[in-house]
Amino acid sequence: MKITYDAQYFNPQAVLECGQIFRFHPFGKGYTVLSADKACRVYVDGNQTVIECNPDDGDYFYNYFDLNNDYKSIVERAKSHNIPQLSHYAELSKGLRLLNQNKEEMLYSFIISQNNNIPRIKGIISRICGGLGEKREFFGEEYYTFPTSEKLSKAGKEFFKDCGCGYRDSYLAETSARVLNEGIAHLDKLSTPDLKKALLTYKGVGGKVADCISLFGFSRRDSFPVDVWIEKVYREDFNGALTDRNKITEYFQNLFGEDAGYIQQYLFYGKRQNL
């Protein structure tokens, strides 16, 4: 099936290459996107962005790409702060959308992401899926599903080390065993500050990773991850003097409130792309 949306507020390149997702690759005129056990293709056709997926997955990807949300109003709210550089970034990256991703996949993916670069993260996740996921086919292309916590917990540290995880091998082994034992549904009920505190108790989850999981996995749009690019934004565009990332996160959360996560992406993508 095909789902279409105004390309002005849905730019696949901006959505996929802003650091919130690692399981995607170009296929010609667009991208193949993998999430949990599902696959879709997304591309621009004229003034429309098109999602192609299996009929049973239509609702999943409609929600995944946050198509119920009015991003025109989000961009306008970002501009209403009257911060020139933010207004500039928001206008030029208004096709960026925040994804509603699988929670467990985000937990493991962002544990892998710490002190790592995107090509290497993508490679590690691809090897984990190839080793433990189920083989599927979409548009004649083979792909592997993201493995369940049960499969991850039974894989052992050596498997993760062989996939290139390095010291993160024990983090994945211990966290997957805990998730298998406890589940993560109870985390949904927590406030955003309490969710972050809870995530920090998982092996391998620090402050920035917890904020990423909250924002990209639990759809907490008041989360604000801080990395080297946001630190650069903070110093250069907000004349900030704080050096503690947790305090910088709090500064931006207090400044932008419920829209903090959207604005974080405009600032991150704008600075990184030198818009």
Side-chain angles (χ1 to χ4, degrees):
M1 70 174 294
K2 289 186 178 182
I3 302 167
T4 59
Y5 198 85
D6 180 1
Q8 187 178 13
Y9 290 97
F10 186 177
N11 177 342
Q13 181 178 4
V15 172
L16 300 174
E17 297 189 3
C18 66
Q20 62 178 323
I21 175 179
F22 305 112
R23 294 177 68 215
F24 69 95
H25 57 268
F27 77 89
K29 61 182 177 179
Y31 299 88
T32 297
V33 178
L34 307 176
S35 175
D37 60 348
K38 306 182 191 308
C40 75
R41 282 182 168 179
V42 59
Y43 56 90
V44 176
D45 184 11
N47 61 1
Q48 297 285 306
T49 292
V50 180
I51 303 164
E52 291 189 70
C53 62
N54 292 324
D56 291 345
D57 297 337
D59 289 346
Y60 181 89
F61 283 111
Y62 197 91
N63 176 67
Y64 180 85
F65 288 106
D66 206 26
L67 298 187
N68 276 318
N69 212 338
D70 177 15
Y71 276 71
K72 181 178 181 180
S73 65
I74 294 168
V75 170
E76 292 306 314
R77 293 200 302 270
K79 292 179 179 178
S80 73
H81 290 279
N82 295 316
I83 300 169
Q85 195 65 6
L86 170 58
S87 296
H88 174 73
Y89 287 154
E91 176 62 29
L92 293 183
S93 56
K94 61 187 175 184
L96 198 159
R97 309 181 72 83
L98 283 173
L99 302 173
N100 295 307
Q101 300 189 69
N102 179 273
K103 296 177 178 65
E104 290 189 19
E105 183 172 337
M106 288 300 95
L107 174 59
Y108 302 125
S109 295
F110 278 97
I111 287 175
I112 292 166
S113 79
Q114 63 165 286
N115 300 317
N116 220 339
N117 61 65
I118 288 177
R120 190 160 180 268
I121 298 163
K122 291 177 73 170
I124 292 169
I125 294 173
S126 178
R127 288 189 288 275
I128 290 173
C129 292
L132 300 176
E134 296 178 8
K135 185 189 289 188
R136 301 275 177 89
E137 189 174 290
F138 182 71
F139 275 98
E141 178 185 1
E142 287 185 352
Y143 74 94
Y144 289 87
T145 64
F146 196 90
T148 63
S149 290
E150 181 177 10
K151 286 194 174 181
L152 289 168
S153 67
K154 292 177 179 177
K157 282 175 55 176
E158 284 304 312
F159 169 80
F160 296 120
K161 189 176 289 294
D162 290 344
C163 287
C165 296
Y167 66 87
R168 304 167 196 84
D169 59 355
S170 62
Y171 299 166
L172 292 169
E174 291 186 35
T175 297
S176 59
R178 178 176 170 185
V179 172
L180 179 64
N181 183 49
E182 300 176 359
I184 59 171
H186 61 285
L187 299 177
D188 283 323
K189 304 168 187 173
L190 302 176
S191 66
T192 299
D194 286 343
L195 172 62
K196 182 174 181 176
K197 288 177 187 174
L199 288 170
L200 288 171
T201 67
Y202 288 80
K203 190 81 169 178
V205 176
K208 178 220 166 189
V209 167
D211 287 323
C212 286
I213 297 166
S214 297
L215 181 57
F216 305 132
F218 286 82
S219 303
R220 301 303 178 88
R221 302 319 194 202
D222 52 343
S223 296
F224 197 100
V226 173
D227 71 342
V228 292
W229 291 103
I230 292 295
E231 285 182 325
K232 192 174 172 66
V233 167
Y234 174 69
R235 289 193 306 270
E236 295 178 357
D237 303 319
F238 290 80
N239 300 313
L242 297 169
T243 56
D244 183 286
R245 284 188 175 184
N246 289 320
K247 293 189 182 300
I248 296 172
T249 290
E250 290 175 9
Y251 165 81
F252 280 118
Q253 285 178 312
N254 290 333
L255 186 60
F256 299 126
E258 292 298 312
D259 285 334
Y262 301 109
I263 290 174
Q264 189 269 358
Q265 287 289 274
Y266 296 142
L267 295 173
F268 171 83
Y269 186 72
K271 180 63 77 175
R272 191 163 175 251
Q273 299 294 319
N274 196 27
L275 296 180

